[in-house]
Amino acid sequence: MSKTVNIPIGPVHPALKEPVRFTIEVEGEKVVGADYEVGYVHRGIEWAGMRQNPIKTIHLSERICGICAFCHPLCFVQAIEEIGDVEVPERAEYIRVITAELERIHSHMLWAGVAAHEIGFDSILNLTWNIREKVMDIVEYITGNRVTYGMLQIGGVRRNITEKQYPKIREATQYYRELLDKIEDVFLRDPTIRMRSRDVGILTKKRALELCAVGPTARASGVPKDVRQDFPYIAYPDLDVKAIMPEEPIGDVYDRIFVRIREIGQSADIIEQCLDQMEPGPILAEQNVAKLLADLQNFEGEAVGRAEAPRGEVFHYVRMNKNEAPLSWKARAPTYNNVQTWPDMIVGEELADVPIIVASIDPCVSCTDRVTLIKDGKEEIVTGEQLHKLSVLKTKRVMRR
Amino acid sequence: MPTPAFFELVKQILSKPVTNLFPSKYAPASIKKFLKKGKINPPIKTPDKFRGKLIYEKDKCIGCGMCVRVCPSSAMELVGEPPKRKIKHYVSRCTFCAICTEVCPVKCLHMSDEFLLADFDKHSENLIVG
Ligand code: SF4
Ligand code: SF4
């Protein structure tokens, strides 16, 4: 006779970016059912954004996510620019692309480190985050700060990239291009990582389409979906971007690692293309912020802004009605789509695989602190560390095989 | 069997940390003594466009209130009555976006490169400008 046990995980843990609660039903070590619950961290950002002028909201939307600190304001300003028919100078569009692609490199490196940590390779976590320092330095070099860039303004960007800065940026893209082989060695050709990620957490193409997965999660399942390719925005129409997919997509964790690592190289290529194609010119449609503030009060209409963030499509809807503040503002982050794929991926796997599967869509919610085991009505508290330990033990087990 | 990751591990054991260490010049006295009077860890140079603590030239300010209108974190406050109206800036609220320096018609706000602003009291003298 088999007995199933329900394991709730979450919702709150200081290390989680997004508090999520999981209920995982296990039979022995095997997961037979999974459910999740989101909405524990509603901050009312949109509410605040509907009560202040859009110039303030650019900086507020930067703080929706510390990692996608460029994509969210980018969507927001694109929507406002569309409402007001603001002509963005070409150079500004290229600078936007460069910053967005630098953000993708740093986000994917960060994710690769977290994924390695989840399966117990902390030395690889240190290695990838070491490599990531280079792009953080470049971001700081271009924008002034490491995390929240403050780069965008309605009608362009606030800081130029001068010719003098090109060599240092090229040096960084070259650095990543050269290191790519090493990163692939460590992640894609390492037998242990392969064993832990191949055929684990499969999301089929059919289910990916049905569940509207986005970003690398969808691409790893064989859905050629990329906003940069399908609905090119800013300077992407002039650039060579194609959705990266594995040759024979299975939709497992390995494929998701593959897609993200290849995208690091793709981003480096895009940045170099931008540096080659960028023409000198203005970077802002309206220099005077006070005048821009006055102009914004005449904006009327609605628009959406879309962008391909490192995790998938970001979508912002804005409606203005000749007021200081927007009448409506709605932001949708890619994880909102991707969380729905969790139950599909988790069911049928071992409990020790849950951390890496959950992390594989890049939400960083797997390092749960506290798990409550409900066994025959009694509660048992298990710490997230123990869950992590389970995962590390499994890595050791497959290595011995 | 040694995997590619294994060689990385060996290399990491033998290498120095890659991140910038906390500048000991600014560390609390107790730690400084331990670090032999701040000889180690000199502060790292900030990049050109770095946005640090705000510098406010009070004499130049005309009290127009534009900075208060654009500040996303309400870190600015108008004090006093018109002709002599000035601003007060609370550094602990500031998000270092620098939009106030752009909007100011007389350019009396600037960003400095001061970034070590941690304090036990968010209304301490060091954290209120103006
Ligand atoms: S830098 Fe930004 S947050 Fe700080 S006072 Fe100026 S406008 Fe406000
Ligand atoms: S915008 Fe400049 S002049 Fe106007 S109140 Fe602020 S600091 Fe003073």
Side-chain angles (χ1 to χ4, degrees):
Chain A
M1 189 198 83
S2 67
K3 197 161 52 178
T4 64
V5 176
N6 274 338
I7 308 180
I9 305 174
V12 179
H13 177 273
L16 299 185
K17 266 189 294 168
E18 300 144 299
V20 179
R21 184 190 157 98
F22 289 100
T23 313
I24 292 175
E25 204 181 320
V26 291
E27 201 183 291
E29 278 295 311
K30 209 171 137 87
V31 179
V32 291
D35 198 9
Y36 64 90
E37 220 180 300
V38 287
Y40 287 96
V41 72
H42 189 78
R43 290 171 290 179
I45 281 194
E46 288 150 336
W47 184 90
M50 274 140 58
R51 275 152 189 82
Q52 62 183 24
N53 63 55
I55 292 185
K56 286 184 181 187
T57 306
I58 296 172
H59 301 284
L60 179 66
S61 62
E62 221 167 49
R63 283 152 181 86
I64 290 177
C65 172
I67 300 175
C68 304
F70 193 75
C71 294
H72 280 285
L74 178 60
C75 286
F76 181 74
V77 298
Q78 282 189 99
I80 301 272
E81 280 157 5
E82 199 184 316
I83 294 173
D85 274 329
V86 182
E87 186 88 26
V88 183
E90 206 181 298
R91 188 176 178 86
E93 300 204 320
Y94 278 105
I95 294 175
R96 285 178 178 184
V97 172
I98 293 176
T99 323
E101 294 304 324
L102 287 171
E103 179 176 87
R104 193 178 320 277
I105 297 180
H106 105 71
S107 172
H108 283 351
M109 290 307 302
L110 182 120
W111 174 83
V114 172
H117 166 76
E118 291 307 342
I119 50 181
F121 280 127
D122 279 357
S123 57
I124 301 186
L125 161 77
N126 289 336
L127 170 77
T128 47
W129 284 27
N130 173 354
I131 298 171
R132 175 173 173 261
E133 276 306 301
K134 183 92 181 173
V135 64
M136 298 308 282
D137 285 347
I138 294 295
V139 165
E140 194 183 32
Y141 181 62
I142 294 175
T143 70
N145 285 37
R146 269 167 71 99
V147 182
T148 37
Y149 318 127
M151 195 66 172
L152 285 162
Q153 181 60 283
I154 295 158
V157 288
R158 290 169 62 198
R159 283 173 216 93
N160 200 355
I161 298 179
T162 57
E163 301 251 343
K164 257 191 10 227
Q165 290 177 314
Y166 288 9
K168 220 167 159 181
I169 302 171
R170 276 186 210 278
E171 189 206 319
T173 52
Q174 198 55 33
Y175 172 82
Y176 282 105
R177 189 110 20 80
E178 278 162 19
L179 271 178
L180 210 59
D181 202 46
K182 184 171 164 189
I183 303 171
E184 283 188 11
D185 245 2
V186 169
F187 279 96
L188 301 178
R189 294 193 271 276
D190 186 282
T192 320
I193 293 193
R194 211 189 160 88
M195 276 189 272
R196 281 301 311 268
S197 57
R198 231 334 156 214
D199 296 322
V200 172
I202 293 180
L203 178 73
T204 58
K205 183 173 179 179
K206 183 167 167 279
R207 287 300 281 161
L209 283 168
E210 281 168 4
L211 295 166
C212 297
V214 290
T217 311
R219 293 196 279 278
S221 293
V223 184
K225 208 179 194 179
D226 191 323
V227 189
R228 295 175 294 170
Q229 167 199 286
D230 305 337
F231 303 95
Y233 52 104
I234 45 178
Y236 285 114
D238 303 340
L239 301 163
D240 179 25
V241 194
K242 256 198 111 209
I244 288 192
M245 288 197 298
E247 268 154 37
E248 284 164 23
I250 300 177
D252 54 4
V253 175
Y254 184 87
D255 281 349
R256 291 193 273 278
I257 299 177
F258 176 90
V259 168
R260 289 205 176 86
I261 287 181
R262 283 292 159 88
E263 281 185 11
I264 295 173
Q266 184 192 34
S267 292
D269 288 343
I270 296 174
I271 293 168
E272 288 200 351
Q273 278 181 46
C274 286
L275 293 180
D276 290 339
Q277 295 180 13
M278 222 156 55
E279 302 277 351
I283 54 162
L284 207 50
E286 177 56 70
Q287 296 279 348
N288 188 339
V289 185
K291 180 150 182 301
L292 178 66
L293 206 56
D295 286 349
L296 280 168
Q297 303 207 353
N298 296 322
F299 282 18
E300 192 179 16
E302 58 182 351
V304 294
R306 309 168 76 177
E308 182 77 16
R311 288 158 186 72
E313 183 196 18
V314 180
F315 175 97
H316 279 223
Y317 167 82
V318 185
R319 186 186 186 100
M320 308 266 294
N321 64 340
K322 296 201 178 186
N323 259 334
E324 166 120 6
L327 183 69
S328 173
W329 173 37
K330 165 83 193 131
R332 202 223 60 213
T335 303
Y336 183 79
N337 289 31
N338 285 342
V339 285
Q340 330 216 18
T341 62
W342 270 333
D344 266 67
M345 294 177 186
I346 295 172
V347 171
E349 304 292 348
E350 279 180 37
L351 188 57
D353 287 326
V354 171
I356 181 65
I357 297 175
V358 167
S360 74
I361 71 157
D362 198 2
C364 305
V365 275
S366 52
C367 29
T368 25
D369 187 28
R370 176 156 291 181
V371 177
T372 316
L373 276 179
I374 303 176
K375 231 178 210 168
D376 308 327
K378 268 188 283 165
E379 287 200 357
E380 239 178 81
I381 306 286
V382 184
T383 62
E385 253 163 58
Q386 270 165 297
L387 193 65
H388 178 65
K389 223 181 249 164
L390 259 182
S391 176
V392 175
L393 280 178
K394 176 158 182 190
T395 302
K396 288 196 179 136
R397 230 168 35 232
V398 297
M399 273 171 100
R400 248 180 268 129
R401 252 179 235 160
Chain B
M1 181 190 64
T3 60
F6 173 80
F7 294 110
E8 274 315 313
L9 181 65
V10 175
K11 237 191 268 165
Q12 275 178 34
I13 291 170
L14 301 171
S15 58
K16 276 198 292 194
V18 286
T19 42
N20 301 337
L21 298 173
F22 190 78
S24 54
K25 191 178 151 199
Y26 302 99
S30 54
I31 297 176
K32 234 188 273 183
K33 224 185 280 165
F34 174 72
L35 288 174
K36 292 195 211 81
K37 300 203 182 70
K39 267 190 193 141
I40 349 172
N41 310 354
I44 306 288
K45 209 181 151 290
T46 51
D48 291 345
K49 298 164 189 166
F50 186 79
R51 307 187 294 281
K53 182 180 166 181
L54 210 61
I55 298 172
Y56 173 47
E57 294 172 58
K58 202 167 181 173
D59 307 336
K60 266 164 87 182
C61 173
I62 51 169
C64 65
M66 278 316 285
C67 53
V68 180
R69 268 194 74 193
V70 296
C71 178
S73 54
S74 311
M76 299 283 199
E77 187 184 48
L78 281 171
V79 284
E81 282 309 309
K84 277 195 188 147
R85 202 157 67 164
K86 300 284 167 185
I87 60 154
K88 213 174 203 172
H89 168 56
Y90 299 93
V91 181
S92 55
R93 294 199 63 141
C94 180
T95 57
F96 307 102
C97 65
I99 191 85
C100 53
T101 65
E102 280 170 27
V103 78
C104 179
V106 290
K107 299 279 170 246
C108 65
L109 295 167
H110 313 277
M111 301 310 271
S112 70
D113 59 3
E114 207 184 324
F115 61 92
L116 286 155
L117 301 167
D119 206 316
F120 289 110
D121 176 12
K122 60 181 173 184
H123 295 300
S124 77
E125 215 173 291
N126 186 30
L127 296 186
I128 294 184
V129 178

